[in-house]
Each structure stands twice: as structure tokens, then as C-alpha cells.
Amino acid sequence: MPHVLWLVVLGALLTGYLLLDGYAFGVGLLLMDLGRDDAERRLLLNAVGPYFLGNEVWIVATAGVLFGAFPDLDGALLTGFYPLVVLVIGGLIVRDAGFWLRSRRESTRWRRVWDWLITGASGALAFGWGLVLGGLLQGVPVGRTGPRGAGLFAPYSLLCGAVFTVLVALHGAVFAAMRAEADLGGRAVRVARRLIIPAAAGIVACVASGFASGATSAAVDRPVLAVAITLAGLLPLAVLVPLLRPTDAGGSGVAGRHGAAFTATALAVALPVIGVGTGLSTRILDQLADDATLGLLAMFLVVVLPLMAASQVWLWRAFRGRIGPASPMYF
Amino acid sequence: MPVRVVEEAVLSALELARLQFALTAGFHFLFVALTLGLAPLVAIMQTRHVFGGKPVHGQMTRFWGQLYLINYGLGIITGLVMEFQFGLNWNGLTRFAGNVFGAPLALETLTAFFLESTFLGMWIFGWGRLPRYLHLALIWLVTLTAYLSAFWIMVANGFQQHPVGGRVVDGEFQLSDFGELITNPEAIDGMVHLVFAALLVGSLFVAGISAWHFARRTADAEFFRSSLWMGLVVAAVFGPLTINGSAQLDYLVVDQPSKAAAFGVLSPAAAQAALTARFGPGNYLSPSWLDIPATIMRFSGFLFGGLSVIVLILMLASRGRVTGWRWVMRPLSWVIPLPFVIVLVGWLVREEGRQPWMVYGLLRTDESVSPVQLTGVITSFIVFVGIFTILAALNYGLIVHFARRGPAAGGLLGMPGAAARAGIVDGGAAESAAALF
């Protein structure tokens, strides 16, 4: 299997993760804003519900392929970005525990605490992943390097953190608009509309400031292609404006439009991530495992990737539609 | 070679990293053991319900399934940390053996975990929504993929215990024989032993909680009797089978003499001599206290299996009246935490006995740690171990809470949120609810 395909697999898994769990980050971030009472917040969590586990597996698969096919990069990256890894994994644990445990007790205090933890952890996750992407753009770790410490929180990284947070908040709001009924769905549409311009401006700012500050010049191999793909993320954002009409109150009449809007925000999250990966492709490919190992993994991937894809498609089709107070809830 | 100052820092970071791994892996395994042990039982309960139609089996699926899910979530959450911990704290291992160690871990995520979690999410939310045979198939798929997960992890750990499947070239271990890797006796024997131990954990969990309810004179007698039977039969069969762990001693004498010495099959002097001959001068013996957990572990399988057999005989002889005998039911409920302790003891012996090697004979533990400052390791220790401790406490608190309530308390799987409270159910959910109750 040609080496570049491994980059594609790794990239696809990470991109898939960020555009899937990304909307969960967004819903978590907006939980207290969109959800006015316990019932609404529970509904938001259960809108993510059936997909929650299925989304998360993508990061585990990414870590797996990173470890299996790019073991040196795995070590260098996780050690080099040590504080960010602790932040992101810590956030993931707390957010997951929140989803899992929040509604297990009736107590209002229990639920309030977990709601705030979910919101905070989702924010940490969104911002943390932005920091990771920004950090990668400033240099992919190589070799047995130590942690980069303060460099991980450089201004450029902070900007990427903020922009990624806005992007996933938008993606989450659109997801909520697609899945929730009437009142809640309508509010989600309004929140989403307010986030379109900040998200677009953010993407442009990241690209522009990367060039202007020279922060990314050393690390990025194919700047033109990388930037083009990243800026292409603006197109789906533009498409959102007609798709999310302010008077939409949710319900089956606008299902098609909301579905298309969701596809648009998914692309808006995916394209910048793909852009980052494209820009760093050489550095990443340099750290591939031996051909013997790659051959072994490829054999399994050929069998398993279709199964993985099919299981996800089955998941999405089985739980399509809006959820309301009478729908089965677990979270 | 590291400069003295760095050496000192690395040494303490090393100890902390080791402790962090031990604690996070230990917590993770507590949840995994119950997941592996309880999943087949829940799957059997649901199978009996779908094919037999008796409401009690549907109730059992939902009650025990609720406990299974609470625990399962924590298993996944703690597993996330494990996946990243190698690259984080142990990048010496990933550099040396990444080409071979990374493969089973990658395959675990792709072939097992990915499907397992996707299907579990569908099982949780699919009650009454998916056709019942499909819904049943999901829990069986989840069970199978969970065991497949365990297999891949044991392949990785087995490689650490006894590196096979390739050789060292230019300071890196290169994979050349995958078949050898997955048929490594350390992996296979370890896996089989782990499966038996997990089934002991899960079955005594079910039996013990059922016994607790009988000691409280529960009104759900049929429910808990059925559960008690199932738990006791599985424990009686698989408890004694855990003795298969001893089969590993045959080759441990040669491969890991210090671990064999902890089990008393080799004298410490002989072990030290063998290891010195192999690796040159140095102290290779495991700490002397390792004998104690080794001994505890060896006899616990028979102990718990035997206990289950005794209670089973009593059940048969008394025609079920033993469920009214508090002096039998109460002690049986006290047993619940013990298999959890034993499996941790087992892992302690397995891993401590491997020291000072990260990959036996090829890479030392102190050569494997990442070049991270002590402050970094302290931070990750506090974050991960701190959060895990809190989550474990919450997990067991919730399990105790729901276990105590019993099946009649409601709020079980598959009930619509607000509708359940209001006593109203809609559409498909109503059918399945009626069928189950």
C-alpha cells in the first residue's frame, strides 16, 4: 500500500473524529445557553445520545493508527505536546463522565454540577484541539523530543483555539437545530446564525495571521494547497445563511434544510483540518513504521474499514429524525 | 548517557510514571473485568427473553444491563487514557518496539473497540426502536468485540513479557512473524486465564447482589432466584478453571525466573543465578513481598468456585429454600468485592514480576520513560489518577444505589424520559414495554 495512503487513513480518522465529536463539543458548550431547564438539557444530551459512543471511537481509532503506523510520531507528538494531551484527554474523561452519569440521579444539584462540568470540559476540548492544530502548524514534533512547554500556548495557537471553539459551537448549534423540535430547535437556529460570521472571520484570521507572523512558515510544506483547502471551508459557511432562516421553528418541514446545514458545518470543520494535514504531510510521512508492520496493518484495514464504515452508516440511519420528550433517553 | 542532573529527575519521573500507569491500568481493569464478566450474562438473559418470552428475563436484562452500562462507561473512559499513556509517558517503548507493540494496539482500536462502542450506543438507544432480533444481535456483538479487545491487549502485554515475532535491528524491534506474535503462550494463556477470572467477577457480582436482596427478604423472589442460579452456575464452572494460570509456570521458570520464584517453583537463589548468567551482574529478583499476592491468587479460584458449588448444592437440596437462610445469603453478598481485589492482585504479580524489564530482556523500564520534566508527570498524575479515583467512587456508588433499588424501582433501560415518569409510552416503546413487563 503506497505510503501516502496511510496519511489519508490517519487524516480521515482524525477529520472524522473532529467533525463528529465536534458537534458534541458544540452541544456541550451551548448546553446551559440552549437548554433552559432540566428537560431541555437532557434532550440536548440525548440528541447526541445514540451517536455519542460511535463518534468517540474515531479518536481511539486515530490513536491506534498513529501508534501502529506512525509509532515514532506517536511518541514524539504525545510527549512534545504533553500539556495539551493532558488537557484534551482530561477534558474528554470529564465530558464523557458527564454524559454518562449526569441523569443517573434525580437530584437537581447532581445534575447542575454535571451540566457545568460538561460545558466546561467541552470548552476545554474544543479549545484544546484548536491549540493542537495550531501547534502542529508551528512544527510537527520529531524524535525523542521533550515537551515544548510555553510554545504550545503561543498567540497563534491561542487564536486557533478560539477559532476552533467557535466553529464547533456553530456545528453543535446546527446539530441541535436538526435534531430538536420546535422551540429548542428554533433557538438553536438563532444561535447558529450569530456564529456564522465569527467562524468565517476566524478561519480567515488564522490563515492571515499564520502568514503575517511567520509562525507557520517553517513547518508547512505546501502552503498554497493547505491554505486553499482551509479557505474552502468558507464556502459551506456562506451556504448556511440561506439554509438557516431566522423564522425556522424546527419540525419536519425544514428537515431537509437543516440536514443540508449540518453537512455544511461538517465540511466547515473538516476542511481546515484537512488543510492542516495537507500542509504537514511530509513531516508526518517521514515517521512511518516499517513496511512489515504497515503490510500487516493494511491487511486488517482492508477487511475492517468497510465494516467500520458500514456500522457508522447503520448507526446514522437507525436513529435519524428529531427527538422529543417522549423519545427513549439514557443520558 | 543522561547527565547526572537529568538522571535524577528522570528517576523520580520514572517512579511516578510507573505508579501512574499501575493505578490507571488498575482502575481500568476493575471496570473491564466486570464488563467482560457481565456482558455474556446480560446477553444470555436477553436471549432467553427474546426466544422464551418470559417477562422476568426481560426485567433481568434491563436491571443487570443498567448496572453493566454504568460500569461500561467508566471502562471506556479510563481506556481512553490508556491508549494515549504509552506515547505520553513511555515514548522510549514506542521508539524501541513501536513497530511491533503498536500493531496489536492499533488492531484493538480498529477491529474491536470501534465496532463494540458503535453497537453499544445502538443497543442503549435501540430499545423498542430496532427489531428485537437485531437488538439482541447487538449485545452479542458487543460481547464478542469486548473479548476481542481483551485479546489484542493481551497480545501486546504478552509481547512485553516474552518478546517474539521478530528481532532487534539497529536498536529497534522489527516485526517479521505476526503468527508468532499472536500465538505467544504468554498472550494466549494470559487471555484464557483473564476470561475465566472476569467471568468469576461478573457471576459473583450477580450472585452476590441477588443474595443481598434475599437477605433483605425481597419481593422480587423469582427475579433474584433466576439471577442467583445463573451467577452461581457460572461461578462454579469458571472459578476453578482459573487454575489454568498455573500452566504458565512451566515456561515462566525459563522465561521469567524471578516471577517463578515468587510462586515458589524456583528458589530465589536459582532465579538470581539464571538471570545473572543471562544478563550479567545485577539484582534481578522481584521484591520479596510478591510471594503474598502470588499465593493469594493461586487459591482464590478454588475458593470462590467451591463456595458457589456449596451454595448450589444447598439450593438443590433445600429445593430453593436456601434463599430464605440469611446465614448463607449474607456472607454470599459480602463476597462481591473480593474477585475484584484478586484480579488486581493477579495483574500486580504479572507486571511486577516482569520488572526491571519493559520488554523482557531487551528494554529496561528505566530506559523507556519519556524525557518529561517531573512537573509534567506530576500534573498528569494528579489529573488522571485524581479523576479516576473520583469516577471510581461515583461508579461504585451508583452501582450500589441501583443494585439496592432492585428491578421494581423502574427508571430502567429503554424507557422514554418524561413519558416514563408520566406513565405514558408511545408507539414502539409501548409494545416492547408491555412485552417486557
Side-chain angles (χ1 to χ4, degrees):
Chain A
M1 186 165 127
H3 286 178
V4 73
L5 279 183
W6 283 106
L7 181 65
V8 172
V9 169
L10 184 67
L13 289 173
L14 180 63
T15 307
Y17 172 69
L18 290 175
L19 73 87
L20 289 172
D21 216 12
Y23 70 70
F25 300 165
V27 169
L29 266 166
L30 298 169
L31 191 65
M32 306 304 279
D33 189 34
L34 280 178
R36 287 198 185 146
D37 56 24
D38 176 75
E40 283 193 345
R41 286 194 285 271
R42 193 160 186 195
L43 202 128
L44 283 168
L45 295 176
N46 283 280
V48 176
Y51 312 108
F52 184 71
L53 287 171
N55 291 346
E56 193 152 74
V57 294
W58 289 73
I59 188 58
V60 180
T62 305
V65 169
L66 185 62
F67 200 166
F70 300 87
D72 289 346
L73 176 61
D74 181 83
L77 180 61
L78 294 181
T79 305
F81 279 39
Y82 201 96
L84 296 186
V85 178
V86 174
L87 175 68
V88 168
I89 302 300
L92 198 57
I93 304 172
V94 174
R95 193 274 311 252
D96 284 11
F99 265 78
W100 211 263
L101 302 178
R102 179 243 183 227
S103 299
R104 298 280 74 78
R105 304 295 301 260
E106 297 287 333
S107 148
T108 324
R109 205 163 61 124
W110 169 274
R111 290 184 175 191
R112 265 223 103 90
V113 167
W114 280 115
D115 284 342
W116 279 110
L117 284 172
I118 290 172
T119 303
S122 300
L125 275 166
F127 198 79
W129 274 107
L131 289 174
V132 168
L133 292 169
L136 284 172
L137 284 171
Q138 293 169 76
V140 175
V142 176
R144 213 183 156 191
T145 51
R148 306 226 302 254
L152 295 168
F153 299 92
Y156 184 72
S157 299
L158 295 176
L159 175 66
C160 292
V163 171
F164 195 72
T165 305
V166 172
L167 254 179
V168 296
L170 169 58
H171 191 31
V174 170
F175 177 79
M178 182 177 71
R179 286 276 281 169
E181 288 169 346
D183 202 37
L184 180 58
R187 265 180 274 135
V189 168
R190 285 197 290 282
V191 169
R193 281 184 65 85
R194 285 203 296 268
L195 291 171
I196 299 174
I197 304 229
I203 294 178
V204 173
C206 274
V207 171
S209 116
F211 274 119
S213 68
T216 60
S217 51
V220 177
D221 298 314
R222 300 202 195 127
V224 176
L225 187 56
V227 166
I229 296 176
T230 305
L231 288 177
L234 294 172
L235 293 170
L237 286 179
V239 161
L240 277 178
V241 177
L243 286 175
L244 294 175
R245 306 220 198 98
T247 49
D248 279 348
S252 55
V254 299
R257 275 208 304 279
H258 287 169
F262 179 72
T263 311
T265 51
L267 281 170
V269 170
L271 286 165
V273 175
I274 296 173
V276 170
T278 312
L280 304 171
S281 48
T282 317
R283 318 293 166 115
I284 297 173
L285 280 171
D286 279 344
Q287 304 192 55
L288 269 173
D290 298 343
D291 283 336
T293 303
L294 292 178
L296 168 72
L297 291 175
M299 255 172 36
F300 278 95
L301 264 181
V302 163
V303 173
V304 154
L305 271 178
L307 282 174
M308 286 161 64
S311 69
Q312 293 273 310
V313 169
W314 183 23
L315 168 66
W316 277 86
R317 297 188 63 170
F319 294 95
R320 254 191 325 229
R322 295 185 187 271
I323 78 166
S327 307
M329 306 244 177
Y330 181 72
F331 289 141
Chain B
M1 284 306 287
V3 170
R4 177 160 291 280
V5 168
V6 176
E7 211 170 274
E8 280 171 29
V10 163
L11 217 52
S12 336
L14 168 71
E15 286 161 355
L16 206 53
R18 281 190 62 191
L19 189 59
Q20 179 182 315
F21 196 92
L23 291 173
T24 52
F27 274 123
H28 178 57
F29 194 71
L30 284 179
F31 307 126
V32 167
L34 186 58
T35 296
L36 289 175
L38 205 43
L41 300 183
V42 172
I44 290 172
M45 289 171 195
Q46 189 167 352
T47 308
R48 290 172 86 178
H49 174 67
V50 169
F51 288 104
K54 282 170 80 176
V56 71
H57 292 136
Q59 279 182 305
M60 282 164 70
T61 310
R62 290 181 154 192
F63 174 75
W64 297 109
Q66 172 77 293
L67 296 176
Y68 163 75
L69 275 185
I70 293 168
N71 180 80
Y72 196 109
L74 271 300
I76 295 178
I77 289 169
T78 50
L80 292 170
V81 172
M82 304 315 295
E83 191 67 44
F84 291 94
Q85 199 167 172
F86 296 106
L88 206 51
N89 279 348
W90 302 101
N91 76 4
L93 170 65
T94 64
R95 273 194 80 82
F96 174 76
N99 282 300
V100 60
F101 191 75
L105 287 179
L107 292 170
E108 190 266 333
T109 67
L110 297 168
T111 67
F113 182 75
F114 195 96
L115 297 171
E116 183 185 350
S117 280
T118 306
F119 293 147
L120 182 71
M122 295 176 76
W123 187 75
I124 296 172
F125 285 89
W127 289 89
R129 189 180 174 127
L130 296 171
R132 40 206 323 236
Y133 292 104
L134 208 55
H135 193 242
L136 173 66
L138 283 170
I139 190 66
W140 278 110
L141 286 168
V142 168
T143 304
L144 258 131
T145 44
Y147 277 80
L148 184 58
S149 243
F151 168 74
W152 287 120
I153 300 304
M154 291 309 287
V155 166
N157 182 270
F159 171 78
Q160 286 184 269
Q161 308 286 345
H162 180 53
V164 294
R167 60 199 182 89
V168 182
V169 174
D170 290 336
E172 284 183 15
F173 196 102
Q174 284 182 0
L175 179 69
S176 59
D177 192 340
F178 183 65
E180 216 174 58
L181 189 67
I182 59 174
T183 54
N184 186 356
E186 282 274 5
I188 303 293
D189 290 343
M191 171 70 185
V192 174
H193 180 62
L194 186 151
V195 167
F196 295 157
L199 286 167
L200 185 63
V201 168
S203 58
L204 281 179
F205 178 81
V206 171
I209 291 175
S210 305
W212 186 85
H213 279 273
F214 277 122
R216 298 297 197 89
R217 303 276 185 251
T218 175
D220 302 302
E222 190 203 353
F223 179 97
F224 283 114
R225 195 175 350 215
S226 189
S227 304
L228 183 63
W229 264 116
M230 192 180 235
L232 288 174
V233 167
V234 174
V237 168
F238 290 101
L241 283 178
T242 57
I243 199 68
N244 90 314
S246 297
Q248 298 175 62
L249 291 172
D250 292 342
Y251 48 79
L252 281 179
V253 168
V254 173
D255 292 342
Q256 295 185 357
S258 57
K259 191 184 285 177
F263 280 98
V265 295
L266 200 61
S267 76
Q272 173 69 2
L275 288 163
T276 312
R278 204 166 146 190
F279 300 117
N283 177 24
Y284 300 99
L285 288 181
S286 301
S288 54
W289 51 259
L290 205 62
D291 306 6
I292 304 169
T295 312
I296 293 174
M297 186 181 49
R298 284 185 91 169
F299 299 107
S300 49
F302 274 122
L303 181 64
F304 295 116
L307 176 68
S308 309
V309 170
I310 292 171
V311 180
L312 270 174
I313 292 174
L314 284 173
M315 269 190 86
L316 287 164
S318 71
R319 293 168 200 259
R321 281 198 297 275
V322 72
T323 57
W325 302 350
R326 279 207 176 105
W327 56 274
V328 173
M329 292 291 108
R330 272 221 193 93
L332 186 53
S333 71
W334 298 335
V335 158
I336 301 169
L338 297 179
F340 288 92
V341 174
I342 303 297
V343 294
L344 285 183
V345 163
W347 272 108
L348 180 65
V349 174
R350 186 173 170 100
E351 297 308 280
E352 184 62 46
R354 160 171 60 84
Q355 300 300 333
W357 305 104
M358 174 63 85
V359 179
Y360 206 89
L362 296 176
L363 181 74
R364 295 177 61 100
T365 307
D366 53 34
E367 291 168 336
S368 323
V369 71
S370 296
V372 182
Q373 291 293 330
L374 187 58
T375 43
V377 186
I378 290 176
T379 311
S380 74
F381 186 95
I382 292 173
V383 169
F384 295 138
V385 176
I387 296 179
F388 277 21
T389 310
I390 296 171
L391 290 180
L394 289 174
N395 176 62
Y396 292 117
L398 279 170
I399 285 178
V400 167
H401 172 79
F402 279 97
R404 279 188 170 169
R405 272 163 42 145
L412 300 177
L413 286 177
M415 297 303 287
R421 278 195 291 280
I424 312 160
V425 289
D426 72 325
E431 274 167 29
S432 65
L436 291 164
F437 292 98

